[in-house]
Amino acid sequence: VLDRSGSMDYSTASDKNCNAGATNCTARWPALTSAVNATISSTSSSISWGLKLFSSTGDACGVTSGVEVQIGTTSVAAIQAKITSTQPGGNTPTAQAIAAATSYLTTVKDQNTKYILLATDGEPNCASGGNATPNVQGTVDPITAAKAAGFLVYVIGMGPQAALTNLQSFAAAGGTTNYFPATSPQALTDAFASISKAVTTCTFNLSSTPPDVNNIAVYLDKNLVAKDGANGWTLGANSLTIVLNGST
């Protein structure tokens, strides 16, 4: 769930607008899209990604239902194309975007565990009082609802720390305790890497029960893995999954 508000043209390290003559300025949106591109490319074999942007283009506080790119094993190219063709603009209707993402995830009926990753650069607005009205508590509520629906919410915050104080409450409500601060492109990439590692599954589904459960070989990067509950592999429920354990 990516913030494309107008302030994403500002510096990753300060509140300077990179389009207003600021020098040595790395804008948040290109830094974010670069980190997203790198992350989804390197994790596509273990994580299926989808994309929700806010606001939706053309309306400062509008958020369409559904998502820009549906979750799928082949969604990487579509996500990269979408964020490449998107420019910052509009306000920050974070609450509405989280609600839309949660509603969408409830329709995805595969057996994978699902998460929401929110990347934003500051305080949400678009409350009922008007486009510029802060909406912090109004955002905590749908994040809490997402967690209750079974979707933990990870939070990445870009920009100066003073602008991101509300994000700690978002991470707490989403069940992930602390948000990831990112005041540089490298910190942003590191945050995506940490979250990707946290959510990647170590359980692999088999298409059918092995004909001989005592005659199974598991290879990881072409190396034979020992059958070991502490650091190796084990057979999972109903002999239909392989589970990797420990450092493996």
Side-chain angles (χ1 to χ4, degrees):
V1 179
L2 301 186
D3 180 354
R4 59 162 290 271
S5 60
S7 58
M8 293 295 284
D9 273 330
Y10 284 45
S11 168
T12 56
S14 70
D15 267 330
K16 295 179 179 178
N17 189 334
C18 291
N19 288 341
T23 57
N24 299 320
C25 192
T26 301
R28 298 167 194 174
W29 182 251
L32 175 61
T33 54
S34 177
V36 168
N37 281 330
T39 301
I40 64 178
S41 295
S42 64
T43 61
S44 60
S45 62
S46 55
I47 301 175
S48 296
W49 295 90
L51 175 67
K52 181 65 187 174
L53 296 172
F54 66 98
S55 61
S56 301
T57 5
D59 187 335
C61 277
V63 174
T64 56
S65 59
V67 293
E68 275 70 21
V69 179
Q70 294 191 2
I71 289 173
T73 56
T74 59
S75 62
V76 169
I79 293 172
Q80 291 174 330
K82 183 63 180 179
I83 60 177
T84 297
S85 65
T86 298
Q87 295 299 318
N91 290 334
T92 314
T94 316
Q96 296 88 329
I98 293 292
T102 301
S103 178
Y104 166 72
L105 285 178
T106 63
T107 71
V108 182
K109 299 302 183 181
D110 60 41
Q111 306 216 347
N112 296 328
T113 306
K114 297 169 184 66
Y115 304 88
I116 293 174
L117 193 165
L118 168 66
T120 184
D121 72 339
E123 185 176 75
N125 49 30
C126 296
S128 57
N131 287 1
T133 306
N135 197 29
V136 174
Q137 186 56 48
T139 303
V140 168
D141 293 341
I143 290 176
T144 302
K147 178 177 178 290
F151 313 130
L152 295 182
V153 180
Y154 288 88
V155 182
I156 295 176
M158 293 162 286
Q161 297 302 294
L164 304 175
T165 53
N166 54 286
L167 299 189
Q168 190 66 26
S169 65
F170 294 174
T176 54
T177 309
N178 296 308
Y179 82 98
F180 292 78
T183 56
S184 70
Q186 186 59 54
L188 194 54
T189 299
D190 291 346
F192 271 98
S194 295
I195 294 169
S196 298
K197 184 177 179 180
V199 306
T200 300
T201 182
C202 287
T203 298
F204 298 86
N205 296 321
L206 304 177
S207 57
S208 61
T209 303
D212 182 355
V213 295
N214 296 310
N215 188 22
I216 298 173
V218 174
Y219 289 82
L220 176 61
D221 293 337
K222 300 183 180 179
N223 297 309
L224 187 65
V225 179
K227 187 176 182 181
D228 187 338
N231 184 27
W233 69 270
T234 50
L235 201 57
N238 301 318
S239 300
L240 283 172
T241 60
I242 295 290
V243 182
L244 299 183
N245 307 299
S247 61
T248 302

